[in-house]
Amino acid sequence: MKIAVLGSGSRGNAVAVTAANSTLLLDAGFGPRTLAARARKVGVNLTGLVGVVLTHEHNDHARGAAPLARKSDCPVYASPGTLAALGRRLDDVARIAIGPQQPTAVGPFTIRACRTSHDAAEPLALSVEGKSGDKVGLAYDLGRPTAAVQHLLQDATCLIVEANHDEAMLRSSSYPLLLRERIAGPSGHLSNRAAAELLAGLHHEGLRSVILAHLSEECNGADLAVAEVRSVLDEVGYEGDLMAAQQEEPLAPVTLSDDPSQLELWSAG
C-alpha cells in the first residue's frame, strides 16, 4: 500500500491510497485537472480510481469529488450528513453512506470512520486498511481529538494528522477575533501542540510514517510544526518518518508495503 498526499491546506486537500491495482482518494479538494496533474507528478494513475471518500462537504475537501467520480464512474463515500449537504452537486453520481461502526469494503480497502468535532454537517475522521494489514489514519479539521478519533487511529502504520496552527502565531495574527476563536475552539482546528499530544498517545512500534496536514499559511510553518511535533515524539521513542504536507505541491509517496501489482499505478520515477 502506498500513500500520496496530493496537497493539504485551507485551499485544497486530497490523499491517494493505492494497493492491488486500485486507488482510493480521500477528499478531493482540488478541481479535476489539478488533481490529475498532481497525481501524475508523483506517479499516481487515477484511472484505477475505485472511490472518492469525503471527510466533509467544505470546498477545500469536496470541490472535485463529483466531476472526478463522474469521469471515473466510481462512487462518492461520505456520511449521510455530508451527502445531504452536497445535495445536487452529486447529481448523476453514485453515493454510498458511511459512518461509525460500519466497515465498508471498497476494492482491496476497508474503510472505517468516526465523527469529529468540526463545524460541518457530519464530518468524519477516516481509517483505510489494505489486505496487507497496513492501515492509514486521517484526521484533520477537528477542534479536539475525541476518544472515538483516538480509537479509530490506533495501531495505524501511517498517520495523517492536522497541525493547523502555532498557538502564539494565531493569537498575534491579523485574523478577526471571532475567526481566531473559531479556529482555536472545540469545533475548529488542532494546534501543533495538540497534534503532538495526540500523536504521542497514538505511538506504537508499528507506526512508521507521520504526515502533518492542513497547516495554516498565515499561522504556521512546516519547519515550525515538524520541530514542535518531533520534540514530543522523540520523548516517546518514535523513530519513523515525520513530514509536513504542503498546499502547493504533493508529497513524495510513502510506501507502507511492497506490491508488485503497483507497477501499473505508480511510475518508476
Side-chain angles (χ1 to χ4, degrees), residues 180-196:
R180 281 181 273 146
E181 290 177 342
R182 171 192 170 269
I183 291 170
S187 297
H189 296 274
L190 290 186
S191 67
N192 294 339
R193 178 183 58 82

mmCIF file with all atom_site columns, all heavy atoms in Angstrom, residues 180-196:
data_model
loop_
_atom_site.group_PDB
_atom_site.id
_atom_site.type_symbol
_atom_site.label_atom_id
_atom_site.label_alt_id
_atom_site.label_comp_id
_atom_site.label_asym_id
_atom_site.label_entity_id
_atom_site.label_seq_id
_atom_site.pdbx_PDB_ins_code
_atom_site.Cartn_x
_atom_site.Cartn_y
_atom_site.Cartn_z
_atom_site.occupancy
_atom_site.B_iso_or_equiv
_atom_site.pdbx_formal_charge
_atom_site.auth_seq_id
_atom_site.auth_comp_id
_atom_site.auth_asym_id
_atom_site.auth_atom_id
_atom_site.pdbx_PDB_model_num
ATOM 1   N N   . ARG A 1 180 ? -10.320 33.808 14.999 1.00 0.00 ? 180 ARG A N   1
ATOM 2   C CA  . ARG A 1 180 ? -9.299  33.204 15.862 1.00 0.00 ? 180 ARG A CA  1
ATOM 3   C C   . ARG A 1 180 ? -9.942  32.292 16.900 1.00 0.00 ? 180 ARG A C   1
ATOM 4   O O   . ARG A 1 180 ? -9.445  31.200 17.191 1.00 0.00 ? 180 ARG A O   1
ATOM 5   C CB  . ARG A 1 180 ? -8.469  34.294 16.552 1.00 0.00 ? 180 ARG A CB  1
ATOM 6   C CG  . ARG A 1 180 ? -7.393  34.910 15.669 1.00 0.00 ? 180 ARG A CG  1
ATOM 7   C CD  . ARG A 1 180 ? -6.604  35.958 16.408 1.00 0.00 ? 180 ARG A CD  1
ATOM 8   N NE  . ARG A 1 180 ? -7.242  37.265 16.313 1.00 0.00 ? 180 ARG A NE  1
ATOM 9   C CZ  . ARG A 1 180 ? -7.233  38.181 17.273 1.00 0.00 ? 180 ARG A CZ  1
ATOM 10  N NH1 . ARG A 1 180 ? -6.653  37.945 18.422 1.00 0.00 ? 180 ARG A NH1 1
ATOM 11  N NH2 . ARG A 1 180 ? -7.814  39.347 17.084 1.00 0.00 ? 180 ARG A NH2 1
ATOM 12  N N   . GLU A 1 181 ? -11.064 32.744 17.448 1.00 0.00 ? 181 GLU A N   1
ATOM 13  C CA  . GLU A 1 181 ? -11.755 31.924 18.443 1.00 0.00 ? 181 GLU A CA  1
ATOM 14  C C   . GLU A 1 181 ? -12.327 30.668 17.818 1.00 0.00 ? 181 GLU A C   1
ATOM 15  O O   . GLU A 1 181 ? -12.316 29.596 18.432 1.00 0.00 ? 181 GLU A O   1
ATOM 16  C CB  . GLU A 1 181 ? -12.856 32.749 19.103 1.00 0.00 ? 181 GLU A CB  1
ATOM 17  C CG  . GLU A 1 181 ? -12.320 33.857 20.010 1.00 0.00 ? 181 GLU A CG  1
ATOM 18  C CD  . GLU A 1 181 ? -13.438 34.704 20.608 1.00 0.00 ? 181 GLU A CD  1
ATOM 19  O OE1 . GLU A 1 181 ? -14.570 34.659 20.076 1.00 0.00 ? 181 GLU A OE1 1
ATOM 20  O OE2 . GLU A 1 181 ? -13.173 35.405 21.606 1.00 0.00 ? 181 GLU A OE2 1
ATOM 21  N N   . ARG A 1 182 ? -12.842 30.775 16.598 1.00 0.00 ? 182 ARG A N   1
ATOM 22  C CA  . ARG A 1 182 ? -13.360 29.586 15.909 1.00 0.00 ? 182 ARG A CA  1
ATOM 23  C C   . ARG A 1 182 ? -12.257 28.577 15.667 1.00 0.00 ? 182 ARG A C   1
ATOM 24  O O   . ARG A 1 182 ? -12.412 27.375 15.914 1.00 0.00 ? 182 ARG A O   1
ATOM 25  C CB  . ARG A 1 182 ? -14.002 29.987 14.577 1.00 0.00 ? 182 ARG A CB  1
ATOM 26  C CG  . ARG A 1 182 ? -14.373 28.791 13.711 1.00 0.00 ? 182 ARG A CG  1
ATOM 27  C CD  . ARG A 1 182 ? -14.732 29.195 12.290 1.00 0.00 ? 182 ARG A CD  1
ATOM 28  N NE  . ARG A 1 182 ? -14.858 28.028 11.434 1.00 0.00 ? 182 ARG A NE  1
ATOM 29  C CZ  . ARG A 1 182 ? -13.860 27.503 10.722 1.00 0.00 ? 182 ARG A CZ  1
ATOM 30  N NH1 . ARG A 1 182 ? -12.660 28.050 10.766 1.00 0.00 ? 182 ARG A NH1 1
ATOM 31  N NH2 . ARG A 1 182 ? -14.050 26.427 9.982  1.00 0.00 ? 182 ARG A NH2 1
ATOM 32  N N   . ILE A 1 183 ? -11.119 29.038 15.153 1.00 0.00 ? 183 ILE A N   1
ATOM 33  C CA  . ILE A 1 183 ? -10.016 28.138 14.833 1.00 0.00 ? 183 ILE A CA  1
ATOM 34  C C   . ILE A 1 183 ? -9.524  27.413 16.076 1.00 0.00 ? 183 ILE A C   1
ATOM 35  O O   . ILE A 1 183 ? -9.260  26.203 16.050 1.00 0.00 ? 183 ILE A O   1
ATOM 36  C CB  . ILE A 1 183 ? -8.867  28.919 14.168 1.00 0.00 ? 183 ILE A CB  1
ATOM 37  C CG1 . ILE A 1 183 ? -9.282  29.388 12.775 1.00 0.00 ? 183 ILE A CG1 1
ATOM 38  C CG2 . ILE A 1 183 ? -7.600  28.066 14.073 1.00 0.00 ? 183 ILE A CG2 1
ATOM 39  C CD1 . ILE A 1 183 ? -8.326  30.367 12.133 1.00 0.00 ? 183 ILE A CD1 1
ATOM 40  N N   . ALA A 1 184 ? -9.394  28.140 17.179 1.00 0.00 ? 184 ALA A N   1
ATOM 41  C CA  . ALA A 1 184 ? -8.857  27.555 18.408 1.00 0.00 ? 184 ALA A CA  1
ATOM 42  C C   . ALA A 1 184 ? -9.907  26.808 19.225 1.00 0.00 ? 184 ALA A C   1
ATOM 43  O O   . ALA A 1 184 ? -9.568  26.118 20.192 1.00 0.00 ? 184 ALA A O   1
ATOM 44  C CB  . ALA A 1 184 ? -8.230  28.653 19.271 1.00 0.00 ? 184 ALA A CB  1
ATOM 45  N N   . GLY A 1 185 ? -11.163 26.918 18.834 1.00 0.00 ? 185 GLY A N   1
ATOM 46  C CA  . GLY A 1 185 ? -12.247 26.342 19.620 1.00 0.00 ? 185 GLY A CA  1
ATOM 47  C C   . GLY A 1 185 ? -12.454 24.860 19.388 1.00 0.00 ? 185 GLY A C   1
ATOM 48  O O   . GLY A 1 185 ? -11.784 24.224 18.556 1.00 0.00 ? 185 GLY A O   1
ATOM 49  N N   . PRO A 1 186 ? -13.407 24.263 20.100 1.00 0.00 ? 186 PRO A N   1
ATOM 50  C CA  . PRO A 1 186 ? -13.629 22.814 20.042 1.00 0.00 ? 186 PRO A CA  1
ATOM 51  C C   . PRO A 1 186 ? -14.193 22.313 18.724 1.00 0.00 ? 186 PRO A C   1
ATOM 52  O O   . PRO A 1 186 ? -14.228 21.101 18.496 1.00 0.00 ? 186 PRO A O   1
ATOM 53  C CB  . PRO A 1 186 ? -14.616 22.561 21.191 1.00 0.00 ? 186 PRO A CB  1
ATOM 54  C CG  . PRO A 1 186 ? -15.304 23.874 21.397 1.00 0.00 ? 186 PRO A CG  1
ATOM 55  C CD  . PRO A 1 186 ? -14.281 24.916 21.105 1.00 0.00 ? 186 PRO A CD  1
ATOM 56  N N   . SER A 1 187 ? -14.635 23.217 17.842 1.00 0.00 ? 187 SER A N   1
ATOM 57  C CA  . SER A 1 187 ? -15.117 22.811 16.518 1.00 0.00 ? 187 SER A CA  1
ATOM 58  C C   . SER A 1 187 ? -14.232 23.352 15.403 1.00 0.00 ? 187 SER A C   1
ATOM 59  O O   . SER A 1 187 ? -14.639 23.383 14.239 1.00 0.00 ? 187 SER A O   1
ATOM 60  C CB  . SER A 1 187 ? -16.559 23.300 16.301 1.00 0.00 ? 187 SER A CB  1
ATOM 61  O OG  . SER A 1 187 ? -17.435 22.711 17.230 1.00 0.00 ? 187 SER A OG  1
ATOM 62  N N   . GLY A 1 188 ? -13.003 23.763 15.755 1.00 0.00 ? 188 GLY A N   1
ATOM 63  C CA  . GLY A 1 188 ? -12.109 24.377 14.788 1.00 0.00 ? 188 GLY A CA  1
ATOM 64  C C   . GLY A 1 188 ? -11.016 23.467 14.300 1.00 0.00 ? 188 GLY A C   1
ATOM 65  O O   . GLY A 1 188 ? -11.280 22.477 13.601 1.00 0.00 ? 188 GLY A O   1
ATOM 66  N N   . HIS A 1 189 ? -9.769  23.770 14.696 1.00 0.00 ? 189 HIS A N   1
ATOM 67  C CA  . HIS A 1 189 ? -8.605  23.058 14.164 1.00 0.00 ? 189 HIS A CA  1
ATOM 68  C C   . HIS A 1 189 ? -7.592  22.780 15.274 1.00 0.00 ? 189 HIS A C   1
ATOM 69  O O   . HIS A 1 189 ? -7.488  23.543 16.244 1.00 0.00 ? 189 HIS A O   1
ATOM 70  C CB  . HIS A 1 189 ? -7.931  23.880 13.065 1.00 0.00 ? 189 HIS A CB  1
ATOM 71  C CG  . HIS A 1 189 ? -8.778  24.090 11.862 1.00 0.00 ? 189 HIS A CG  1
ATOM 72  N ND1 . HIS A 1 189 ? -8.839  23.184 10.830 1.00 0.00 ? 189 HIS A ND1 1
ATOM 73  C CD2 . HIS A 1 189 ? -9.619  25.107 11.516 1.00 0.00 ? 189 HIS A CD2 1
ATOM 74  C CE1 . HIS A 1 189 ? -9.663  23.631 9.892  1.00 0.00 ? 189 HIS A CE1 1
ATOM 75  N NE2 . HIS A 1 189 ? -10.155 24.793 10.292 1.00 0.00 ? 189 HIS A NE2 1
ATOM 76  N N   . LEU A 1 190 ? -6.803  21.722 15.093 1.00 0.00 ? 190 LEU A N   1
ATOM 77  C CA  . LEU A 1 190 ? -5.779  21.361 16.071 1.00 0.00 ? 190 LEU A CA  1
ATOM 78  C C   . LEU A 1 190 ? -4.533  22.231 15.909 1.00 0.00 ? 190 LEU A C   1
ATOM 79  O O   . LEU A 1 190 ? -4.076  22.479 14.799 1.00 0.00 ? 190 LEU A O   1
ATOM 80  C CB  . LEU A 1 190 ? -5.366  19.898 15.910 1.00 0.00 ? 190 LEU A CB  1
ATOM 81  C CG  . LEU A 1 190 ? -6.352  18.805 16.293 1.00 0.00 ? 190 LEU A CG  1
ATOM 82  C CD1 . LEU A 1 190 ? -5.661  17.449 16.196 1.00 0.00 ? 190 LEU A CD1 1
ATOM 83  C CD2 . LEU A 1 190 ? -6.914  19.012 17.687 1.00 0.00 ? 190 LEU A CD2 1
ATOM 84  N N   . SER A 1 191 ? -3.967  22.645 17.029 1.00 0.00 ? 191 SER A N   1
ATOM 85  C CA  . SER A 1 191 ? -2.682  23.344 17.034 1.00 0.00 ? 191 SER A CA  1
ATOM 86  C C   . SER A 1 191 ? -1.546  22.329 16.917 1.00 0.00 ? 191 SER A C   1
ATOM 87  O O   . SER A 1 191 ? -1.744  21.106 17.036 1.00 0.00 ? 191 SER A O   1
ATOM 88  C CB  . SER A 1 191 ? -2.520  24.131 18.328 1.00 0.00 ? 191 SER A CB  1
ATOM 89  O OG  . SER A 1 191 ? -2.401  23.244 19.434 1.00 0.00 ? 191 SER A OG  1
ATOM 90  N N   . ASN A 1 192 ? -0.342  22.836 16.704 1.00 0.00 ? 192 ASN A N   1
ATOM 91  C CA  . ASN A 1 192 ? 0.838   21.960 16.694 1.00 0.00 ? 192 ASN A CA  1
ATOM 92  C C   . ASN A 1 192 ? 0.943   21.192 18.011 1.00 0.00 ? 192 ASN A C   1
ATOM 93  O O   . ASN A 1 192 ? 1.239   19.993 18.017 1.00 0.00 ? 192 ASN A O   1
ATOM 94  C CB  . ASN A 1 192 ? 2.110   22.780 16.490 1.00 0.00 ? 192 ASN A CB  1
ATOM 95  C CG  . ASN A 1 192 ? 2.170   23.435 15.123 1.00 0.00 ? 192 ASN A CG  1
ATOM 96  O OD1 . ASN A 1 192 ? 1.495   23.018 14.187 1.00 0.00 ? 192 ASN A OD1 1
ATOM 97  N ND2 . ASN A 1 192 ? 2.991   24.471 15.014 1.00 0.00 ? 192 ASN A ND2 1
ATOM 98  N N   . ARG A 1 193 ? 0.729   21.899 19.108 1.00 0.00 ? 193 ARG A N   1
ATOM 99  C CA  . ARG A 1 193 ? 0.838   21.256 20.421 1.00 0.00 ? 193 ARG A CA  1
ATOM 100 C C   . ARG A 1 193 ? -0.187  20.150 20.577 1.00 0.00 ? 193 ARG A C   1
ATOM 101 O O   . ARG A 1 193 ? 0.131   19.039 21.031 1.00 0.00 ? 193 ARG A O   1
ATOM 102 C CB  . ARG A 1 193 ? 0.663   22.302 21.526 1.00 0.00 ? 193 ARG A CB  1
ATOM 103 C CG  . ARG A 1 193 ? 0.710   21.724 22.943 1.00 0.00 ? 193 ARG A CG  1
ATOM 104 C CD  . ARG A 1 193 ? 0.457   22.797 23.989 1.00 0.00 ? 193 ARG A CD  1
ATOM 105 N NE  . ARG A 1 193 ? -0.830  23.442 23.782 1.00 0.00 ? 193 ARG A NE  1
ATOM 106 C CZ  . ARG A 1 193 ? -1.993  22.936 24.201 1.00 0.00 ? 193 ARG A CZ  1
ATOM 107 N NH1 . ARG A 1 193 ? -2.026  21.747 24.823 1.00 0.00 ? 193 ARG A NH1 1
ATOM 108 N NH2 . ARG A 1 193 ? -3.121  23.572 24.002 1.00 0.00 ? 193 ARG A NH2 1
ATOM 109 N N   . ALA A 1 194 ? -1.437  20.427 20.193 1.00 0.00 ? 194 ALA A N   1
ATOM 110 C CA  . ALA A 1 194 ? -2.490  19.411 20.312 1.00 0.00 ? 194 ALA A CA  1
ATOM 111 C C   . ALA A 1 194 ? -2.214  18.225 19.402 1.00 0.00 ? 194 ALA A C   1
ATOM 112 O O   . ALA A 1 194 ? -2.455  17.064 19.786 1.00 0.00 ? 194 ALA A O   1
ATOM 113 C CB  . ALA A 1 194 ? -3.846  20.033 19.992 1.00 0.00 ? 194 ALA A CB  1
ATOM 114 N N   . ALA A 1 195 ? -1.697  18.494 18.201 1.00 0.00 ? 195 ALA A N   1
ATOM 115 C CA  . ALA A 1 195 ? -1.351  17.401 17.296 1.00 0.00 ? 195 ALA A CA  1
ATOM 116 C C   . ALA A 1 195 ? -0.251  16.536 17.890 1.00 0.00 ? 195 ALA A C   1
ATOM 117 O O   . ALA A 1 195 ? -0.301  15.298 17.815 1.00 0.00 ? 195 ALA A O   1
ATOM 118 C CB  . ALA A 1 195 ? -0.909  17.962 15.950 1.00 0.00 ? 195 ALA A CB  1
ATOM 119 N N   . ALA A 1 196 ? 0.745   17.164 18.484 1.00 0.00 ? 196 ALA A N   1
ATOM 120 C CA  . ALA A 1 196 ? 1.850   16.427 19.091 1.00 0.00 ? 196 ALA A CA  1
ATOM 121 C C   . ALA A 1 196 ? 1.354   15.526 20.220 1.00 0.00 ? 196 ALA A C   1
ATOM 122 O O   . ALA A 1 196 ? 1.764   14.362 20.339 1.00 0.00 ? 196 ALA A O   1
ATOM 123 C CB  . ALA A 1 196 ? 2.902   17.400 19.606 1.00 0.00 ? 196 ALA A CB  1
#
